[in-house]
């Protein structure tokens, strides 16, 4: 019974969502939207589970003086400060704005996010350096195509290689798009096949593996 | 005479609405039947699938419930019950489900089903073995999306296999999560895998832990973990976005063997460049069949291949017809 109920729920909801895709009846559309709302509610209920896991994980690290335990202290302290200010804000402006919470969010959290995102530029440079080393024919084709596309995308490109803009357009719209569509069709079929396996209970990854 | 007239009139007053109800019921049933064709096909196959045979009764109930729903709605909106513009999708879905069920039937009869080698999946054992030899941990990143994303669900299948291997070898495993629902699912999957491997005592809840809901804070945590603790093996399998290359490059710099897998087109080049093995698109979804070698799941992969072949034929036919100026065929498949 413990195994059958989740399989039954997966089957009923999965079948309903498939049917709802083809039906425009307000009751079906409404129920489908309710399922989406249900997911949000379940996520909200699961969030305390995440908070408990976070605190347990870092408490253990600090207690055992594991590698990076000082970072765990910063994580727990940051969590405590932000959560406290989010629940009880002592500094409220005349417009009712939570000054302390928003100040930390705007001046600490947002710049940290931007810093992480900006790291991507350096990562792309180091990955490109590795990828464009000409070791075989495929790597040579990759490098030549990349050079043409890079030149075609910058204003100076037309002076260095006049047909770079037209070549870039051809590379992006013909071989690149064809490969992308091939992958996309395969992935879409794979996803649909997996969905059918889950609906039928043949595969049960949410319960730790394949069916019996 | 008066009583006869009253009797006839009374009968007519009862008969006409009765006939009207019957006609509209037949009309509704006919339309509902066409709409529910896809669903009914799934329900039919339920009774043919042993693991679901005990659920067949419940499926019938759900069918009745759906017919009831259809009836209610055809009365309210008679002209727009079925999305005609999605007829192409319904036909493809019906053919797709039929092909999968046919191959599952073949698999149940013991027909040999070949599946090509997938290097990324063959490398799983090697990658876990390397971590065991080096005495370092295996890091498994299930992507940044929730369990409503099919890539995350596929990732859970691979996580189950990896956890079974780490349990068998006694290797340390860590699964940091961004989404609380994935945390709950991954914990259950890992726990089940350790039990299946006969090592429930090795399982610790802390192996599967929660980091944060923010994308870049999660990325920073993973990057730090890879740099400080230097796991021997990193699995980056699931749905990834801008963080993919930052994580993969951090793992590469730390000298880990990396197996990645995603169906996000924009992230695939990053993984191909920075990881040792990459599961591209459909390979991610085929992983459970490849690793478990379950005949029923293998059958569904073969069915998928048949549909792929049919799609290639349709694309070529569409291309030829469109070139000859007959655009209706291509239009039918490109509507909606």
């Amino acid at each position: 019974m413990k195994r059958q109920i989740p399989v039954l729920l997966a089957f009923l909801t999965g079948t309903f969502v498939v049917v709802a895709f083809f039906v425009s009846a307000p009751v079906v559309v409404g129920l489908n939207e309710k399922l989406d709302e249900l997911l949000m509610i379940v996520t909200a209920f699961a969030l305390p589970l995440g908070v408990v896991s976070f605190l347990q994980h870092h408490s253990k690290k600090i207690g055992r003086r594991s590698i990076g335990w000082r970072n765990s202290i910063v994580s727990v302290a940051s969590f405590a400060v932000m959560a406290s200010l989010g629940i009880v804000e002592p500094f409220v402006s005349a417009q009712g704005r939570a000054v302390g919470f928003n100040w930390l969010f705007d001046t600490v959290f947002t710049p940290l996010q931007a810093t992480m995102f900006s790291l991507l530029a350096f990562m792309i440079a180091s990955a490109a350096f590795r990828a464009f080393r000409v070791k075989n024919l495929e790597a040579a084709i990759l490098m030549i195509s990349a050079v043409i596309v890079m030149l075609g995308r910058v204003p100076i490109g037309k002076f260095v290689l006049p047909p770079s803009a037209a070549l870039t357009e051809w590379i992006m719209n013909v071989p690149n798009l064809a490969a992308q569509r091939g992958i996309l069709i395969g992935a879409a079929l794979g996803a649909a096949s997996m969905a059918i396996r889950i609906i039928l209970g043949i595969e049960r990854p949410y319960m730790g593996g394949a069916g019996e | 005479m008066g009583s006869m007239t009253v009797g006839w009139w009374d009968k007519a007053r009862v008969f006409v609405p009765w006939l009207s109800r019957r006609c509209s019921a037949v009309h509704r049933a006919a339309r509902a039947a066409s709409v529910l064709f896809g669903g009914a096909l799934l329900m039919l196959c339920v009774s043919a699938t042993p693991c679901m045979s005990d659920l067949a009764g419940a499926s019938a109930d759900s069918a009745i419930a759906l017919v009831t729903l259809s009836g209610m709605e055809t009365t309210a909106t008679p002209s727009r019950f079925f999305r005609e513009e999605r007829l192409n999708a319904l036909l493809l879905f019906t053919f797709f489900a039929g092909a999968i069920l046919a191959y599952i039937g073949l698999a149940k009869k013991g027909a040999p089903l070949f599946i090509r080698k997938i290097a990324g999946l063959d490398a799983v054992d090697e990658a876990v073995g390397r971590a065991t030899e080096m005495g370092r941990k295996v890091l498994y990143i299930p992507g940044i999306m929730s369990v409503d994303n099919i890539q995350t669900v596929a990732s859970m299948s691979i996580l189950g296999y990896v956890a079974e291997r780490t349990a068998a070898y006694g290797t340390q495993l860590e699964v940091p999560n961004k989404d609380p629902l994935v945390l709950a699912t991954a914990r259950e999957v890992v726990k089940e895998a350790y039990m299946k491997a006969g090592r429930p005592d090795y399982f610790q809840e802390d192996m599967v832990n929660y980091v944060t809901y923010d994308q870049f804070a999660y990325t920073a945590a993973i990057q730090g973990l890879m740099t400080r603790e230097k796991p021997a093996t990193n699995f980056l399998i699931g749905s990834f976005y801008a963080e993919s290359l930052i994580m993969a490059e951090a793992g590469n710099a730390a000298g880990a063997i990396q197996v990645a897998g995603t169906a996000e087109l924009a992230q695939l080049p990053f993984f191909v460049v920075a990881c040792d093995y990459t599961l591209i698109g459909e390979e991610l979804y085929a992983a459970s069949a490849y690793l478990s070698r379950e005949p029923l799941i293998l059958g569904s992969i073969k069915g998928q291949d048949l549909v792929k072949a049919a799609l290639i034929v349709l694309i070529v036919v569409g291309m030829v017809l469109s070139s000859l100026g007959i655009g209706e065929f291509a239009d039918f498949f490109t509507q909606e």
Side-chain angles (χ1 to χ4, degrees):
Chain A
M1 202 64 180
K2 194 183 161 191
R3 287 183 169 274
Q4 285 164 345
I5 289 174
V7 174
L8 178 66
L9 282 174
F11 173 74
L12 291 179
T13 49
T15 309
F16 176 75
V17 172
V18 171
V19 171
F21 181 77
F22 298 108
V23 173
S24 59
V27 168
V28 178
V29 173
L31 273 175
N32 202 23
E33 282 168 6
K34 285 279 174 222
L35 278 180
D36 287 342
E37 285 172 21
L38 200 64
L39 181 75
M40 279 189 267
I41 294 166
V42 173
T43 307
F45 273 99
L47 201 57
L49 191 73
V51 173
V52 171
S53 165
F54 169 84
L55 291 174
Q56 276 180 342
H57 180 67
H58 288 291
S59 308
K60 269 187 195 168
K61 272 192 143 180
I62 297 165
R64 290 175 187 163
R65 300 285 191 273
S66 309
I67 304 168
W69 65 276
R70 289 180 184 86
N71 298 321
S72 294
I73 295 177
V74 175
S75 297
V76 174
S78 307
F79 168 77
V81 170
M82 287 302 275
S84 308
L85 286 176
I87 296 164
V88 186
E89 171 66 70
F91 313 106
V92 182
S93 70
Q95 291 81 30
R97 196 167 185 264
V99 178
F101 184 88
N102 281 311
W103 184 80
L104 279 175
F105 192 88
D106 294 339
T107 59
V108 179
F109 186 71
T110 307
L112 283 173
Q113 267 187 324
T115 307
M116 278 310 296
F117 192 39
S118 60
L119 276 180
L120 195 57
F122 300 100
M123 299 298 185
I124 287 177
S126 72
F129 177 73
R130 249 197 338 274
F132 297 157
R133 271 185 294 190
V134 182
K135 289 176 283 187
N136 48 39
L137 180 68
E138 287 89 348
I141 293 169
L142 184 70
M143 196 207 68
I144 293 165
S145 312
V147 168
I148 293 170
V149 171
M150 281 191 279
L151 284 173
R153 292 281 162 98
V154 291
I156 202 172
K158 64 184 171 192
F159 300 111
V160 180
L161 185 70
S164 61
L167 278 171
T168 297
E169 205 176 323
W170 182 82
I171 290 170
M172 296 307 287
N173 290 340
V174 182
N176 179 57
L177 198 62
Q180 279 200 17
R181 283 183 179 162
I183 295 172
L184 202 63
I185 290 172
L189 287 177
S193 166
M194 184 155 194
I196 290 176
R197 292 201 297 268
I198 292 169
I199 289 173
L200 296 181
I202 294 169
E203 193 174 343
R204 305 168 193 173
Y206 52 92
M207 285 166 67
E212 288 118 32
Chain B
M1 187 71 184
S3 66
M4 262 184 75
T5 311
V6 170
W8 173 84
W9 176 241
D10 281 344
K11 279 181 186 170
R13 278 201 314 179
V14 174
F15 178 73
V16 171
W18 177 86
L19 187 66
S20 165
R21 276 201 305 274
R22 285 293 168 274
C23 287
S24 69
V26 170
H27 185 64
R28 282 203 305 267
R31 280 202 295 196
S34 68
V35 171
L36 293 169
F37 183 64
L41 192 74
L42 286 173
M43 287 156 197
L44 270 176
C45 63
V46 163
S47 53
T49 312
C51 65
M52 295 288 290
S53 58
D54 49 340
L55 302 176
S59 315
D61 290 345
S62 71
I64 293 164
L66 285 167
V67 170
T68 314
L69 278 175
S70 322
M72 281 161 59
E73 284 319 302
T74 41
T75 312
T77 52
S79 61
R80 286 288 298 153
F81 183 83
F82 175 62
R83 291 176 188 263
E84 289 89 0
E85 70 277 11
R86 289 183 177 173
L87 181 67
N88 50 10
L90 180 65
L91 286 176
L92 188 64
F93 174 75
T94 309
F95 175 61
F96 189 43
I100 285 177
L101 293 174
Y103 270 103
I104 286 174
L106 277 177
K108 278 201 288 193
K109 284 178 189 164
L113 297 172
F114 170 77
I115 185 165
R116 71 173 167 85
K117 273 178 82 71
I118 300 175
L121 296 172
D122 285 339
V124 170
D125 282 345
E126 175 202 334
V128 176
R130 181 180 187 260
T132 312
E133 283 170 12
M134 293 174 81
R136 291 205 221 139
K137 68 168 68 168
V138 170
L139 186 66
Y140 192 100
I141 318 289
I144 63 160
M145 299 307 283
S146 191
V147 280
D148 61 335
N149 187 303
I150 192 86
Q151 292 180 63
T152 310
V153 178
S155 178
M156 291 296 110
S157 288
I158 302 173
L159 172 62
Y161 183 80
V162 170
E164 252 186 84
R165 297 287 93 202
T166 55
Y169 298 151
T171 313
Q172 204 188 338
L173 171 70
E174 183 164 355
V175 189
N177 291 279
K178 179 192 163 279
D179 187 277
L181 279 180
V182 179
L183 166 83
T185 314
R187 195 171 270 174
E188 192 63 30
V189 166
V190 172
K191 192 176 178 182
E192 187 82 16
Y194 273 70
M195 284 169 71
K196 213 185 272 182
R199 299 281 177 83
D201 48 317
Y202 281 13
F203 173 76
Q204 292 169 356
E205 288 214 330
D206 196 35
M207 282 173 168
V208 186
N209 54 64
Y210 186 71
V211 180
T212 173
Y213 201 75
D214 183 78
Q215 181 188 13
F216 286 109
Y218 180 69
T219 311
I222 301 301
Q223 197 183 9
L225 200 153
M226 285 173 174
T227 310
R228 283 190 304 272
E229 301 189 21
K230 296 198 186 306
T233 303
N234 297 331
F235 288 96
L236 297 124
I237 297 173
S239 182
F240 291 87
Y241 291 91
E243 71 291 340
S244 64
L245 187 63
I246 301 175
M247 288 183 187
E249 273 294 291
N252 191 296
I257 184 169
Q258 300 200 105
V259 180
T262 188
E264 299 294 341
L265 284 179
Q267 310 310 321
L268 278 169
F270 295 145
F271 279 149
V272 170
V273 167
C275 299
D276 299 276
Y277 301 96
T278 307
L279 301 172
I280 297 172
E282 62 183 320
E283 291 178 345
L284 170 67
Y285 302 115
S288 53
Y290 193 86
L291 295 171
S292 68
R293 298 280 162 183
E294 284 272 337
L296 291 183
I297 308 179
L298 277 176
S300 73
I301 303 290
K302 296 302 286 183
Q304 188 184 318
D305 283 351
L306 180 73
V307 177
K308 210 187 294 173
L311 280 181
I312 291 169
V313 172
L314 284 177
I315 288 169
V316 172
V317 170
M319 200 170 67
V320 171
L321 289 178
S322 295
S323 303
L324 293 172
I326 306 164
E328 287 81 2
F329 184 81
D331 290 346
F332 176 73
F333 286 101
T334 50
Q335 67 181 355
E336 163 74 348

